[in-house]
Amino acid sequence: MAFDIPEELKKLPQKPGVYIMHGRRDEVIYVGKAVKLRNRVKQYFSNSKNKRLKIYSMVPQVTRFEYIVTDTEVEALVLECNLIKEYRPKYNTMLMDDKAYPFISVTSQEDFPRVLYAHQMKKDKSQYFGPYPDAGAAKETVDLVRKLYKIRPCNKRLPEEIGRDRPCLYHHIHQCDAPCQGNISKEEYRERVQQAMRFLNGKTDDVKEDLKQRMQEAAEELRFEEAAALRDLIGSVEKVSERQKMSSGSREDTDVIALACDRNDAIAQVFFVRDGKLIGRDHFYLKIGEDEDRGTVMQSFIQQFYSGTPFIPRELMLSDAIPGSEVLEEWLTSKKGNRVYIRVPQKGSKEKLVELAKRNAAIILFQDRERIKKDAAKTIGAIGEIGSWLGMEAPERIESYDISNISGYQSVGSMVVYENGKPKKADYRKFRIKSVEGANDYASMEEVLTRRFKRGLNEDSGFEKLPDLLLMDGGKGQVNIALRVLDQLGLSVPVAGMVKDDRHRTRGLYFNNKEIPIPVDSEGFHLITRIQDETHRFAIEYHRLLRSKEQVHSILDDIPNVGERRKRDLMKAFPNLDAIRNAEVADLMELPSMNERAARSVYEFFRKPKPADTEEMK
């Protein structure tokens, strides 16, 4: 039954929740949240002239919508964020980077704590420092702290394992006082850990002064190697403190977020301020609508970014005010467990730091604008050209197929998928031809396509999504094979074939019973060539893999009653195949896995008559 949009709009409740718009192929094209679902969703289908360009282009594609009611707007926000990450809808502002940052963990719940590099912040009793945008810097800091305070790097359970083993190398090179041997008391060791945590909090001045004094004393007493080692430590401490030299004017943990936007592209620049010190920065690419307002873009970024990071600072300082900041504050507060503030500073040092982040974002966007345009031309622009040549919309999902064999031996098929002009390797599939003997590419292609689309109709994982265009490596013959398979299965998918010239170079596309010439200097032509090369590569790689497996096939595999274990025992007990060939039954039965039946199978296998051309095969 057709989805009656006007009728379904009347059924929407006046409650908070999330609405999900579906496109012509029933794919999710937009996810949004609302305080009152009926009012919000109705706005999309009204005749208002104040709609944004994105809404004008999206609404005609909506074939149905669904909704999920929540108790509060905060719950709707969380659900919206989860669904956007799950479906990555075409018309939502999308965070293109999925980065994770490391932490430094101090296992303060242990009697003899350790300082560790941590990929994520876990809900345990350890104390965490970070996140560190530079993973290398985090690892260097861990090494430095261990050297400075002689913190143990081992994972022994202390004090239970004290004295169980000898001290390790770190004790011998004077980087650990061996608490595993009871050489240092628990109280003295934990005092060192407290000093290490103060260092990780940015209090490095006292450490530098102490090291300089010790270096001076060592030099005066002619202990030059020790003085050189202390000098190197001072350099490491200065390197770490240099990363923390910028201050935001407060002692809080703060993330400073600024936007730079240009049509469909945006950069979000984030400065990470910890304990009042700027410890690093990073930037993120976003895909946005051309007329998307900056506040909405900022809101979408914050939702997606902080749903995926375990650390939430006490304060967010933004370059742009956002709608519904109170709801975001409530959500972030619930995730952190402590009050979180969202502010747009207007003056003072905080405003200057936001302005600095904004300038950095603009610089990155300016530098990358040409690269972004080139990437778009190679992908989105290219599929647009292909669609215009074939008289259809830009094919978002293109599937290409190839058959590979050598004189009919080990025929295989490959399925390569491109989405929005980029390879989607997770959807690539391999087929081992089962029903075709010899070199019959047409019959092999028919088998591959039949298996692929039957599995798609059965909604098998990885095959349920139909392509917008089938791109066949051959011309009319392969196109007709594909059309016949689709017709038999009751499917309607456009099919185009690559027409080759005398040098086997693509010169055009065969589509709807005619050849369409394509300009060889166009981005569409280059994309087709990339798809063709990738399809060949994937098929040949699979065929080569199967051939290599055949080549390592052993003659022992052909002996009855000899499995993997007996085969291994034969190869261990005898130096070569001739020795196995000449062995008697009694010799073979000495193997631990061999019984009389299996030993006799081996003995008789090498003594039964064989054709002359295979008798000496090893």
Side-chain angles (χ1 to χ4, degrees), residues 106-115 125-126 151-152 154-162 179-180 184-194 197:
V106 179
T107 59
S108 50
Q109 73 275 22
E110 297 178 340
D111 288 328
F112 291 87
R114 294 166 293 153
V115 177
K125 295 180 180 179
S126 299
I151 306 296
R152 68 184 182 103
C154 66
N155 57 2
K156 291 180 180 178
R157 288 183 293 110
L158 302 181
E160 294 93 331
E161 297 183 12
I162 286 179
C180 61
I184 181 172
S185 68
K186 175 181 172 181
E187 292 72 20
E188 185 181 351
Y189 184 89
R190 292 191 71 88
E191 174 55 33
R192 292 185 184 180
V193 172
Q194 291 298 320
M197 289 195 289

Side-chain angles (χ1 to χ4, degrees), residues 206-449:
D206 291 343
V207 176
K208 283 189 286 185
E209 288 304 317
D210 179 57
L211 290 173
K212 287 178 181 178
Q213 184 176 345
R214 287 165 55 190
M215 180 183 68
Q216 186 68 28
E217 291 173 357
E220 289 174 356
E221 295 173 10
L222 306 182
R223 291 181 279 117
F224 297 119
E225 288 188 8
E226 182 181 343
L230 289 166
R231 179 202 60 203
D232 293 340
L233 274 180
I234 293 169
S236 298
V237 171
E238 289 177 341
K239 186 177 180 181
V240 169
S241 60
E242 182 71 16
R243 295 190 183 104
Q244 302 176 335
K245 67 180 180 180
M246 291 188 64
S247 173
S248 67
S250 74
R251 305 295 293 176
E252 298 289 351
D253 290 339
T254 304
D255 283 355
V256 180
I257 308 173
L259 284 178
C261 303
D262 178 32
R263 302 191 64 180
N264 296 112
D265 299 295
I267 295 290
Q269 177 79 51
V270 184
F271 283 176
F272 302 100
V273 179
R274 300 294 177 262
D275 195 33
K277 304 281 180 63
L278 180 64
I279 67 167
R281 66 175 187 174
D282 208 344
H283 62 272
F284 302 83
Y285 292 99
L286 301 102
K287 298 302 294 182
I288 63 175
E290 284 194 24
D291 58 343
E292 201 86 68
D293 66 90
R294 296 173 63 93
T296 302
V297 174
M298 180 70 80
Q299 180 188 35
S300 297
F301 172 75
I302 290 172
Q303 285 178 229
Q304 295 179 60
F305 180 67
Y306 290 104
S307 69
T309 178
F311 182 84
I312 297 174
R314 181 174 173 78
E315 180 183 42
L316 304 186
M317 296 195 303
L318 312 181
S319 62
D320 299 271
I322 58 175
S325 60
E326 299 84 1
V327 177
L328 273 180
E329 279 188 347
E330 187 179 346
W331 171 60
L332 291 169
T333 296
S334 66
K335 280 179 67 70
K336 181 178 177 64
N338 292 303
R339 187 78 167 89
V340 176
Y341 299 90
I342 296 177
R343 297 186 172 105
V344 183
Q346 302 296 325
K347 60 182 180 179
S349 59
K350 292 184 176 181
E351 191 273 335
K352 290 179 181 177
L353 196 55
V354 171
E355 188 61 33
L356 179 63
K358 188 186 294 187
R359 288 202 302 271
N360 276 267
I363 290 169
I364 293 169
L365 186 61
F366 176 78
Q367 290 173 342
D368 287 357
R369 183 175 289 137
E370 288 304 314
R371 181 192 60 78
I372 292 170
K373 288 180 179 178
K374 288 179 181 178
D375 288 347
K378 290 179 180 179
T379 54
I380 304 301
I383 61 173
E385 286 183 343
I386 294 172
S388 66
W389 297 334
L390 303 180
M392 58 186 287
E393 289 187 8
E396 291 184 18
R397 181 182 175 95
I398 299 175
E399 291 183 6
S400 179
Y401 296 81
D402 190 28
I403 303 296
S404 179
N405 61 65
I406 296 179
S407 301
Y409 173 74
Q410 286 282 33
S411 290
V412 300
S414 67
M415 166 184 158
V416 163
V417 179
Y418 273 61
E419 284 197 356
N420 292 315
K422 297 179 180 179
K424 190 178 182 184
K425 296 192 175 184
D427 285 6
Y428 285 16
R429 294 294 182 270
K430 304 168 183 175
F431 301 85
R432 193 166 184 172
I433 305 303
K434 301 176 179 178
S435 63
V436 181
E437 295 290 339
N440 188 334
D441 285 358
Y442 284 170
S444 298
M445 184 62 73
E446 185 172 6
E447 179 190 325
V448 167
L449 293 174

Side-chain angles (χ1 to χ4, degrees), residues 25 42 57 60 72 94 111 281 357 393 398 442 553 577:
R25 296 189 304 278
K42 273 187 174 181
S57 60
T72 66
M94 290 306 304
D111 288 328
R281 66 175 187 174
E393 289 187 8
I398 299 175
Y442 284 170
H553 177 82
L577 196 58

